[in-house]
Amino acid sequence: MHPSLFNQTPADLADLLEGLGEPSYRGRQILEWLWQKRSTSIDEMSNLPARLRDHLKASFSLRSLTHVRTQGSRDSTRKFLFRLHDECHVECVLIPASPALHGERAHRRTLCVSSQVGCAYGCRFCASGLDGFTRNLTADEIAEQVLLAEELSGEKVHNIVFMGMGEPLANLPQLLKAFELITAPWGLGIGARHLTVSTSGLAPQIRKLADHPQQIRLAVSLHGASDKVRNRIMPVNRKWPLSELFDALHYWTKRKNQKITLEYILIDGVNADLAQAGLLAQHAKSLRAKVNLIPCNPVEGLPWKRPDEPQCRAFRDSLVKNGVSATLRLEKGHDIDAACGQLRLKEEKKGRKDVD
Ligand code: SAH
Ligand code: SF4
């Protein structure tokens, strides 16, 4: 399998063209064919000399993702399933409006992208980690989800959240390269402030991303306000307990002048009591973070249930009473199994059955 031409930055192309004795402006032409004209074949690149096209065809592939299916939901959230060159699957979800995440930009479309196939972190409530970790996505495989979602829907994507399958901060080199493909004027041209990375709490990588010059936003999957509760549902907490996580988050807020979002899924009988709400309020206030509350989605084979609506509201009200900005998110796309990873698991289980 050849590397994808979509993974080439201007610097990569400059090296390549110099080696071939081609003028450097060919790099701009190639990027324009890829990202603006959205070529699906190297043969279309009509202003390149035939010898260069032949070389590109022999050395690079173009698209790495093949569209398998789209699932639509009543509220017009759509989920796209893609097959990769090695028969793995990834998915992304196009969300028409996300007021909880983007306030006044509520009319703008958000795409939730995957960063890995599977996930090594094994949070107890999450479908993505059920089958463990398979591999990291490459930068072009990440950026191509945006390209294809725009092409398939005919709609422009304005915001990107790294909240699909995988732990983006466990794939930092490719994530940073994907930022370049997504934000560059020659690439997708989406501003860094419109990208939100969600992490389960990899403290050292949070510090590394804090040192990265782009103004990327950060969301943290907290889901527990004490080590005892968090250890029960998120094994990652044993490696980086809350004290270390919050040190890294304070470092982030010092380096970047923007609010962190704490994501908190409400699970009945586990983390949805008012004692946790009180501790969560303290954490959020010391960080000046906002809180997104999401009743957990049921996952086949897992025992967790969402609390009833009055309990969810009581949890939210307790935060607000303590002076914390908190939203209770009525899950978009709940009716299409929007909990990350579920569509892909179904596809791969089906595949396995076919083989058996
Ligand atoms: N690995 C990163 C990003 C991907 S998960 C992270 O954990 O932050 C995206 C979000 O979906 C996370 O906040 C995750 O906790 C949440 N999630 C996972 N399983 C869920 C479920 N069953 N119901 C609701 N949210 C879930
Ligand atoms: Fe991985 Fe995030 Fe799911 Fe945890 S919640 S298993 S870190 S994808």
Side-chain angles (χ1 to χ4, degrees), residues 38-308:
R38 310 234 167 162
S39 288
T40 50
S41 122
I42 290 169
D43 286 322
E44 279 171 34
M45 303 182 178
S46 53
N47 57 358
L48 304 182
R51 61 170 186 281
L52 178 54
R53 271 183 278 155
D54 288 344
H55 178 84
L56 294 178
K57 277 194 282 185
S59 317
F60 295 98
S61 63
L62 214 49
R63 299 293 173 95
S64 323
L65 270 51
T66 309
H67 177 235
V68 176
R69 89 164 57 97
T70 303
Q71 237 178 310
S73 80
R74 282 188 295 270
D75 60 12
S76 87
T77 295
R78 264 152 297 161
K79 189 167 194 165
F80 304 106
L81 180 73
F82 299 117
R83 190 172 52 247
L84 305 173
H85 65 85
D86 54 3
E87 300 299 310
C88 290
H89 290 86
V90 284
E91 62 201 354
C92 62
V93 182
L94 185 65
I95 307 159
S98 188
L101 275 177
H102 299 291
E104 74 283 5
R105 297 184 194 277
H107 62 287
R108 304 198 140 204
R109 272 170 293 274
T110 297
L111 188 72
C112 173
V113 298
S114 296
S115 54
Q116 299 183 314
V117 182
C119 182
Y121 288 86
C123 302
R124 303 277 180 251
F125 44 79
C126 177
S128 290
L130 277 183
D131 267 5
F133 172 70
T134 305
R135 73 168 172 91
N136 281 325
L137 294 186
T138 54
D140 62 290
E141 288 170 333
I142 296 173
E144 234 183 80
Q145 294 171 55
V146 186
L147 209 69
L148 288 184
E150 287 192 346
E151 288 173 12
L152 289 163
S153 67
E155 294 168 352
K156 172 100 188 92
V157 168
H158 298 96
N159 302 294
I160 297 176
V161 294
F162 292 82
M163 294 185 183
M165 204 189 340
E167 169 51 54
L169 294 193
N171 186 14
L172 201 53
Q174 291 302 311
L175 184 73
L176 295 181
K177 191 164 185 186
F179 290 165
E180 185 178 359
L181 305 181
I182 291 168
T183 60
W186 50 260
L188 287 166
I190 299 173
R193 286 172 193 279
H194 297 280
L195 310 189
T196 302
V197 170
S198 178
T199 178
S200 59
L202 279 58
Q205 280 85 344
I206 290 172
R207 287 172 189 270
K208 277 195 194 147
L209 193 59
D211 291 334
H212 179 70
Q214 288 185 298
Q215 286 295 330
I216 309 292
R217 293 177 189 275
L218 186 69
V220 179
S221 295
L222 199 64
H223 310 331
S226 62
D227 282 322
K228 189 164 175 232
V229 169
R230 208 166 184 260
N231 281 342
R232 186 172 160 203
I233 49 177
M234 298 182 75
V236 67
N237 196 68
R238 294 180 194 272
K239 193 147 187 201
W240 294 292
L242 287 177
S243 58
E244 281 182 48
L245 173 58
F246 281 109
D247 280 352
L249 296 180
H250 280 290
Y251 181 73
W252 177 281
T253 54
K254 259 191 259 145
R255 303 281 303 187
K256 309 236 188 241
N257 192 18
Q258 41 158 270
K259 282 195 172 179
I260 290 175
T261 302
L262 300 177
E263 305 276 341
Y264 198 98
I265 62 173
L266 293 164
I267 310 175
D268 194 31
V270 175
N271 66 357
D273 54 278
L274 293 182
Q276 284 290 298
L279 289 172
L280 177 57
Q282 284 175 22
H283 295 312
K285 274 202 289 196
S286 84
L287 270 175
R288 298 186 197 200
K290 24 180 203 177
V291 175
N292 250 345
L293 299 171
I294 311 143
C296 77
N297 276 321
V299 175
E300 219 181 288
L302 299 183
W304 317 109
K305 286 198 190 70
R306 44 174 65 193
D308 59 23

